[in-house]
Amino acid sequence: MKLGIFDSGLGGLIIAKAVHDHMPDLDIVYLGDTLRLPYGNRSDDAIYEFTRQCVEFLFSQDCNLVVIACNTASARALRRLQQEWLPGANYPGRNVLGVIVPTLEAALDHGYHNLGLIGTNATVNSGIYPEELKKVSEKIDITQKATPLLVPLIENEGEAWLGDVLEHYLEPLKARGCECILLGCTHYALLKNQIRKHLGQGIEVLSQDEIIPAKLADYLERHSEYADEISRGGTIEFYVSDITPGYKAAAAKLYGREIDIQKAEVA
Ligand code: DGL
């Protein structure tokens, strides 16, 4: 079997690369749903259905374990997939993991008490970060801010406007005295340096490309049923549900080198 990594688009390539760098022997299959991105303003039903189809595609590629790198899909579809679909669809020996709990765990590992979160409208409005945080501690505050302009800015080379947009979005989190900002969206890893620079010293920024690989390695250590089964040829395959020259160029930029992307039929 292989490890599947799914994102609504290409931002998850940053996570896939970080996982590959951390565990270079694992065989990985990446799928980005470029045909239907962005997910961030979609309904729950649409996000669930698209995510389910993409996970099914990764299962068909021999990925018994799939990481949903997309925060929006983790927030809006993961629970339903784990609780209703996986058992009902009769997929024994397969599992789907998300990025929200590991990200919160990383913040708790650092001992922060006053967190800020930025993410898409769908992620923030789901309330899943505060909900999951409450399960482990009542004493930690989290202030959320939906930052829907960031993905289009990243995707359309809108860096020139980034300063004003970050000021607008991050100011309320600074005013709340947040000690640490969680970047709750695959794309935001690309902005981590600008966000760190913007916030200055004294406010930590947790970026999921720096969190998920170690958390996944930890999961595999505790789950030999997957760790023992994953093939270890160090390969990484890339699939997208729609290919354009623009996506190819963006994929190369995000992954840091030219990559061979194939078209997946997911719908
Ligand atoms: N991948 C999504 C996430 O991490 C962001 C892009 C989208 O809206 O689809 O939330």
Side-chain angles (χ1 to χ4, degrees), residues 229-241:
E229 292 300 314
I230 296 183
S231 52
R232 292 176 188 265
T235 64
I236 176 157
E237 296 160 67
F238 303 96
Y239 287 93
V240 289
S241 48

Side-chain angles (χ1 to χ4, degrees), residues 6 58 132 154 217 236 260:
F6 162 66
L58 286 168
E132 290 293 343
I154 295 166
I236 176 157
D260 183 25

Side-chain angles (χ1 to χ4, degrees), residues 7-9 37-41 69-73 120 123 151 184-187:
D7 184 36
S8 58
L37 73 89
Y39 283 14
N41 291 315
C70 177
N71 283 258
T72 303
T120 62
T123 298
V151 170
C185 174
T186 46
H187 281 61

Side-chain angles (χ1 to χ4, degrees), residues 26 39 67 92 134 159 175 204 260:
L26 295 190
Y39 283 14
V67 177
K134 232 183 184 161
E159 281 85 359
E204 214 40 68
D260 183 25

